[in-house]
Amino acid sequence: MKRESGGKRIEAVMAEIRSRIAARGLVPGSRLPSVRAFARTMQVSPSTVVEAYERLAGEGLIRSRPGSGFYVSSPLAPLTLSEIGPKLDRAIDPLWVYRQSLEDAPELLKPGCGWLPASWMPEIAIRKALRAISRGEGRVLADYGTPLGLPQLRQLLSRRMGERGIAAAPDHIILTESGTQAIDLLCRFLIEPGDGVLVDDPCYFNFHALLRAHRANAIGVPMTPSGPDIEAFERAIDEHRPRLYITNSSIHNPTGATCSPVVAHRLLKVAERAGLTIIEDDIFADLEDEPAPRLAAFDGLERVVHIGSFSKTLSASVRCGFIAARPDWIEPLTDLKMATSIGGGRLSSELILLLLKDGSYRKHLDALRVRLSRAMDETAARLAPLGITPWIRPQAGMFVWCKLPDGVDAADIAQACLADNVVLAPGNAFSLSQTARGFMRFNVAQSDDRRIFRSLERALKNAARSLAC
Amino acid sequence: MKRESGGKRIEAVMAEIRSRIAARGLVPGSRLPSVRAFARTMQVSPSTVVEAYERLAGEGLIRSRPGSGFYVSSPLAPLTLSEIGPKLDRAIDPLWVYRQSLEDAPELLKPGCGWLPASWMPEIAIRKALRAISRGEGRVLADYGTPLGLPQLRQLLSRRMGERGIAAAPDHIILTESGTQAIDLLCRFLIEPGDGVLVDDPCYFNFHALLRAHRANAIGVPMTPSGPDIEAFERAIDEHRPRLYITNSSIHNPTGATCSPVVAHRLLKVAERAGLTIIEDDIFADLEDEPAPRLAAFDGLERVVHIGSFSKTLSASVRCGFIAARPDWIEPLTDLKMATSIGGGRLSSELILLLLKDGSYRKHLDALRVRLSRAMDETAARLAPLGITPWIRPQAGMFVWCKLPDGVDAADIAQACLADNVVLAPGNAFSLSQTARGFMRFNVAQSDDRRIFRSLERALKNAARSLAC
């Protein structure tokens, strides 16, 4: 390129960046190569790259972040993970909804949030476990945990997984800070920027944010009541050659779907052919009445990694997640965990262990399942008169994925209800393809307040009125 | 490249990879571009890339990890973060030493480890705080924390930083799971693969592993008793254009050095000129008798990010770290934290808050400083007859960085002592340039056992004998 004129060189650099963005070699939100590095790659001077980047920024294709470099811009995946606009626009920003739900704001009603109210958690048992630890060994109070995490808890997790047909020895289980950190660690281990990753469409919206943080190329596969659409799954594999698939095979978030054995079997066959790894995020497992067959059980942890946590079923305050993976991945994953976070807190693991051991967790789960099932029916009964109907009746869990009346946009409803301090979870927050605008996820454990339904009713009436216009 | 023959195309791909490795565009341990992506870049068929990669693997330049791709190999930074050989070789592998120190192995003596014995921590106060929480609010026991983390704890941290001259409003502080996670989050935010990052040489060895996990290009700057060698720092900036510098400006790990005001001032001037961000990892701050001036205090959190934790001074079991950063970084950092780990546990933050509020932490620190200072003198006195001499007498803290007798290799001594169940921390574990083979870091709080010194004496005698041969 050295014989070209300065202007031509700048244009060549701009063309190269444009084509990388077009080919998704550079995905929205990802950082452009550093000026120095790219000057070397293109065999031009750094000033040529600076000029090219500035022109592209002028065009709005990329954006500069002072002191940090240039990023591919996009209305969907802006500069940083979220971009916060004026307050009312936020109703449709999943990260904002999420953050709002996490704020200590007692005036808010949160049928859109993703966890149980604290009052549904086994408070008495947690208090008792805390007292037991306060009387226990000094090292538990002050020392680091072991690299893999508390051995007795890993033994217990191994046994519990065994009950679901998943053969994972205690030494093939790693404790983490949370389920999310478990998936993050696996992403670090398994993928690199630009890699394709399959997710369900719709799926837990934080998967989108997590994959954006890894600069991965998320690819959606439509969800059906019996698992991902297997034909679409195969097409996506042929087209994008993804490296990874992240899913909840049972009590899927947000739809409540459960993978049928037929679909599970086909998924695994396709994954094997394509060299695809599957992360089975099973954090809702303990809410099931009848354990559905797990991908990790069919597969024997060959290409499936199984993860879980206790945030949704025991306590989100006591942080503890886990990974069960093939034996040869345990050591590098542990090294990576130590390098990036040292690891799960000893206190949290000891607390979880106590709660699991003394039977109070099982008792809590038995009562919780009954309570959730009842709340599921009650919520559905309250939504029916509003014309909001469940997509399926989930076998278990806290979520019901609902279809709004025809023509109504869930984002509009969410925006209107936010003015009444009701935080909802509109469908497109979960949908990579933005094809779920007519859907809404309800957390049945957070929907026991008439004000929610009154607010919904008002918003729907207004929406119907403007539809009629 | 399309007109070339198949063999030429394969060679061209091989040459490109070789030159990227040589130019450190691909650093040891980093993954090669995927076959598909690189085929696109080079405008060749995927099979050409496969063949080229396989030939490079045959040469040993890269290695394949089944199901995961190809990686740049290197004896220093192998396939994964660590590579575990036969047991005795492990004495010189810092990650192995680290993991070993973390295992529950009561028979081990650990003068090489990086934390205080549990018995030095404020056990009674922690027990009391646990009991208080067991009687407290239900939401503390079961709910998620708020996105930034417990407001009252952030207020208190803000006040404590204020006492050291660091002006950080509570809203400009983010709680994390740990100090390590804080640095990891900042690396995710600030650097990308291939970026240069300055570290002290020697430095906390986990920085090496962390930067390897980020595929960053770590660059060492020699340490002096008054901070990093400022001329070498400037040269490294000119040569490598790094994006980031990670340091402990006070009670430096492993050397115990403290940055003098002159050096701090020059560092900041150079950093400003070069557009460099500095992470000031201040997890040992509370061990100081007289607070030394902090980079973050001079700089006003413009280009310095201040991080801390309580793992080294209160409890490593109760996980809690924090970041104080410039206001415009708080929101994207919080989004990134939520996407990748949700965030610090509420229980941990409440516990830390209670311990900080009731004065028991201050009392503990007062006693701890006296005890550490005494242990420092005692350890030095025990090492002196062995010819092991402190590089400096640190102003405070738990580490003393010592010079071994001339010609003795710390790795050999560590290896010999491991056979006596004594885990040491040989100098090169901390040194990027591997120039600290004659040094050893001692944790004075873990050195109160005669067996350690007997083992050292034997190992040194044997070493002297083989030197004499």
Side-chain angles (χ1 to χ4, degrees):
Chain A
M1 196 171 290
K2 277 174 186 155
R3 280 147 304 156
E4 292 170 4
S5 74
K8 280 242 175 84
R9 283 196 293 268
I10 293 166
E11 272 165 33
V13 172
M14 291 171 73
E16 174 65 21
I17 293 295
R18 277 206 197 88
S19 82
R20 286 190 186 193
I21 293 173
R24 293 191 73 78
L26 280 169
V27 296
S30 69
R31 181 150 56 186
L32 267 65
S34 72
V35 167
R36 240 176 104 87
F38 204 54
R40 210 161 47 213
T41 307
M42 297 290 293
Q43 302 189 10
V44 298
S45 73
S47 66
T48 302
V49 176
V50 167
E51 180 60 26
Y53 281 9
E54 277 171 3
R55 290 194 195 170
L56 289 168
E59 291 176 15
L61 192 67
I62 65 175
R63 302 181 54 168
S64 104
R65 193 163 78 195
S68 159
F70 287 85
Y71 291 76
V72 180
S73 45
S74 146
L76 283 174
L79 190 54
T80 53
L81 283 177
S82 81
E83 189 144 71
I84 303 302
K87 178 158 186 189
L88 282 183
D89 294 333
R90 292 172 172 178
I92 52 171
D93 172 346
L95 280 178
W96 186 85
V97 170
Y98 190 23
R99 286 177 64 156
Q100 198 61 16
S101 306
L102 286 170
E103 290 293 353
D104 252 336
E107 75 283 5
L108 285 183
L109 300 167
K110 304 173 182 173
C113 95
W115 52 91
L116 298 175
S119 60
W120 287 50
M121 293 299 208
E123 201 179 294
I124 294 170
I126 299 173
R127 292 183 195 282
K128 196 177 137 202
L130 277 168
R131 284 196 303 273
I133 287 177
S134 78
R135 292 185 302 262
E137 247 195 299
R139 291 190 310 164
V140 171
L141 309 173
D143 248 358
Y144 284 96
T146 57
L148 290 182
L150 191 62
Q152 299 93 311
L153 181 54
R154 289 184 288 111
Q155 261 159 36
L156 215 148
L157 290 173
S158 165
R159 212 156 59 225
R160 285 171 53 88
M161 282 189 243
E163 290 166 13
R164 292 190 190 114
I166 301 166
D171 283 352
H172 305 150
I173 297 172
I174 302 171
L175 303 187
T176 62
E177 308 274 3
S178 65
T180 300
Q181 198 224 4
I183 300 177
D184 179 52
L185 201 59
L186 287 162
C187 283
R188 295 180 109 140
F189 182 59
L190 293 168
I191 63 172
E192 64 180 312
D195 275 352
V197 178
L198 298 181
V199 291
D200 300 313
D201 189 346
C203 72
Y204 173 40
F205 57 72
N206 205 45
F207 290 166
H208 301 153
L210 179 66
L211 291 175
R212 219 145 63 214
H214 284 276
R215 302 177 197 176
N217 175 18
I219 302 142
V221 176
M223 200 62 187
T224 81
S226 52
D229 177 330
I230 195 80
E231 275 76 35
F233 190 85
E234 291 200 67
R235 277 197 305 275
I237 281 183
D238 289 341
E239 192 177 339
H240 300 281
R241 300 270 158 220
R243 186 179 287 276
L244 190 64
Y245 170 46
I246 307 180
T247 191
N248 323 112
S249 61
S250 188
I251 320 191
H252 177 258
N253 181 5
T255 66
T258 289
C259 214
S260 73
V262 178
V263 170
H265 184 63
R266 280 193 62 185
L267 265 183
L268 286 169
K269 275 209 305 197
V270 175
E272 187 171 1
R273 214 166 42 229
L276 185 79
T277 299
I278 300 176
I279 298 179
E280 182 172 54
D281 171 15
D282 209 14
I283 58 169
F284 298 104
D286 290 339
L287 300 179
E288 273 180 322
D289 295 306
E290 286 293 317
R294 291 305 194 276
L295 293 173
F298 284 118
D299 170 71
L301 294 179
E302 263 302 307
R303 56 182 56 259
V304 176
V305 189
H306 195 76
I307 77 119
S309 96
F310 297 92
S311 302
K312 305 296 184 188
T313 53
L314 211 171
S315 166
S317 174
V318 183
R319 308 298 289 148
C320 182
F322 56 88
I323 297 172
R326 40 191 286 187
D328 54 333
W329 287 6
I330 298 300
E331 187 150 306
L333 279 170
T334 306
D335 281 347
L336 200 51
K337 175 180 90 157
M338 296 215 311
T340 56
S341 78
I342 308 298
R346 183 158 186 163
L347 179 72
S348 298
S349 338
E350 296 273 359
L351 255 172
I352 302 282
L353 176 66
L354 281 181
L355 288 156
L356 261 61
K357 262 194 348 196
D358 76 356
S360 53
Y361 183 54
R362 278 193 197 263
K363 258 180 263 168
H364 157 68
L365 288 177
D366 288 341
L368 182 57
R369 286 187 205 109
V370 174
R371 191 172 181 186
L372 277 172
S373 176
R374 195 176 302 145
M376 182 84 72
D377 293 335
E378 283 168 7
T379 304
R382 281 167 151 182
L383 291 170
L386 305 176
I388 302 178
T389 50
W391 183 63
I392 54 166
R393 167 52 158 99
Q395 291 178 12
M398 66 182 84
F399 300 130
V400 58
W401 179 243
C402 292
K403 174 92 187 62
L404 300 186
D406 284 341
V408 173
D409 188 330
D412 295 340
I413 303 298
Q415 193 160 315
C417 291
L418 189 60
D420 297 334
N421 282 329
V422 175
V423 177
L424 291 167
N428 271 348
F430 306 92
S431 171
L432 200 62
S433 60
Q434 297 289 291
T435 50
R437 62 185 283 276
F439 286 84
M440 189 84 90
R441 186 193 73 181
F442 288 92
N443 179 339
V444 302
Q446 301 271 8
S447 297
D448 185 28
D449 193 306
R450 288 178 184 283
R451 285 173 293 175
I452 294 166
F453 302 91
R454 279 205 298 268
S455 174
L456 275 171
E457 192 175 6
R458 265 197 306 278
L460 285 166
K461 270 193 189 143
N462 286 335
R465 213 171 292 140
S466 40
L467 279 174
C469 291
Chain B
M1 197 169 289
K2 277 174 187 153
R3 281 150 302 158
E4 293 171 4
S5 73
K8 280 242 174 84
R9 284 196 293 269
I10 293 167
E11 273 164 32
V13 172
M14 291 171 72
E16 174 65 20
I17 293 296
R18 276 206 197 89
S19 82
R20 287 191 185 190
I21 292 173
R24 292 191 72 79
L26 280 169
V27 295
S30 69
R31 181 150 58 187
L32 267 67
S34 73
V35 167
R36 242 175 102 87
F38 204 54
R40 211 162 45 215
T41 307
M42 297 291 292
Q43 301 189 12
V44 297
S45 71
S47 65
T48 302
V49 176
V50 167
E51 180 61 29
Y53 281 11
E54 278 172 2
R55 289 194 197 170
L56 289 168
E59 291 177 16
L61 192 68
I62 65 174
R63 302 181 54 166
S64 105
R65 194 163 77 194
S68 158
F70 288 85
Y71 291 74
V72 180
S73 45
S74 146
L76 282 174
L79 191 53
T80 53
L81 284 175
S82 81
E83 190 144 69
I84 302 303
K87 178 158 186 186
L88 282 182
D89 294 332
R90 292 172 171 175
I92 50 172
D93 172 348
L95 281 178
W96 187 85
V97 170
Y98 191 22
R99 286 177 64 158
Q100 198 61 18
S101 305
L102 285 169
E103 290 293 353
D104 252 336
E107 74 282 8
L108 285 184
L109 299 167
K110 304 173 182 174
C113 96
W115 53 91
L116 298 175
S119 59
W120 287 50
M121 294 298 207
E123 201 179 297
I124 292 169
I126 299 172
R127 291 183 196 280
K128 195 177 139 204
L130 277 168
R131 283 195 302 272
I133 286 178
S134 79
R135 292 185 300 262
E137 247 195 300
R139 291 189 310 164
V140 171
L141 308 174
D143 249 356
Y144 284 96
T146 57
L148 289 182
L150 191 65
Q152 299 93 310
L153 181 54
R154 288 185 288 113
Q155 263 158 35
L156 214 148
L157 290 174
S158 166
R159 210 155 62 227
R160 285 171 54 88
M161 281 188 242
E163 290 166 13
R164 292 192 191 114
I166 301 166
D171 283 352
H172 304 151
I173 298 171
I174 303 171
L175 302 188
T176 61
E177 308 274 1
S178 64
T180 301
Q181 198 223 4
I183 301 178
D184 180 52
L185 202 59
L186 287 161
C187 284
R188 294 180 110 140
F189 182 60
L190 294 167
I191 63 170
E192 63 178 315
D195 276 352
V197 177
L198 298 181
V199 292
D200 301 313
D201 189 347
C203 73
Y204 173 39
F205 57 73
N206 205 44
F207 290 167
H208 302 153
L210 180 66
L211 291 175
R212 221 146 62 214
H214 284 276
R215 300 177 199 177
N217 177 18
I219 302 144
V221 176
M223 199 64 188
T224 81
S226 53
D229 177 330
I230 195 79
E231 274 76 35
F233 190 84
E234 291 200 68
R235 276 197 306 275
I237 283 184
D238 290 340
E239 191 176 342
H240 299 282
R241 300 272 158 221
R243 187 179 286 275
L244 190 64
Y245 170 45
I246 308 179
T247 190
N248 324 112
S249 61
S250 186
I251 319 192
H252 176 258
N253 180 7
T255 65
T258 288
C259 214
S260 73
V262 177
V263 170
H265 183 63
R266 281 193 62 186
L267 266 184
L268 286 169
K269 277 209 305 196
V270 174
E272 187 170 2
R273 214 166 41 229
L276 185 79
T277 299
I278 300 177
I279 299 179
E280 182 172 53
D281 172 14
D282 209 16
I283 57 170
F284 297 104
D286 290 339
L287 299 180
E288 273 180 322
D289 294 306
E290 286 294 317
R294 290 306 193 273
L295 294 174
F298 285 118
D299 170 71
L301 294 180
E302 263 304 307
R303 56 181 56 260
V304 176
V305 189
H306 194 76
I307 77 119
S309 97
F310 297 93
S311 303
K312 305 296 184 189
T313 52
L314 211 171
S315 166
S317 174
V318 183
R319 306 301 287 150
C320 182
F322 56 88
I323 297 172
R326 40 191 286 186
D328 55 332
W329 287 5
I330 298 300
E331 187 150 304
L333 279 171
T334 306
D335 281 347
L336 199 51
K337 175 179 91 156
M338 295 214 312
T340 56
S341 77
I342 308 297
R346 183 159 186 165
L347 179 72
S348 299
S349 336
E350 296 274 358
L351 255 172
I352 301 283
L353 177 66
L354 281 180
L355 288 157
L356 262 62
K357 261 193 348 196
D358 76 355
S360 54
Y361 183 53
R362 277 194 199 265
K363 257 180 268 169
H364 158 67
L365 287 177
D366 288 341
L368 182 58
R369 287 188 204 108
V370 174
R371 192 172 180 186
L372 277 172
S373 177
R374 196 175 304 145
M376 182 84 73
D377 293 334
E378 282 168 9
T379 304
R382 279 167 153 184
L383 290 170
L386 304 176
I388 303 177
T389 51
W391 183 63
I392 54 167
R393 168 51 159 99
Q395 291 178 13
M398 67 183 83
F399 299 129
V400 57
W401 179 244
C402 292
K403 173 94 187 63
L404 300 186
D406 283 341
V408 174
D409 188 329
D412 294 340
I413 302 299
Q415 193 160 317
C417 291
L418 189 60
D420 297 334
N421 283 328
V422 175
V423 178
L424 292 166
N428 272 348
F430 306 92
S431 171
L432 201 61
S433 61
Q434 298 288 291
T435 50
R437 62 186 283 276
F439 287 84
M440 187 85 88
R441 185 191 75 181
F442 288 90
N443 179 338
V444 302
Q446 301 271 9
S447 298
D448 184 30
D449 193 307
R450 288 178 185 282
R451 284 174 294 175
I452 294 167
F453 302 91
R454 279 204 298 267
S455 175
L456 275 170
E457 191 176 6
R458 264 197 306 276
L460 285 167
K461 269 193 189 143
N462 285 335
R465 213 169 293 140
S466 38
L467 279 174
C469 290

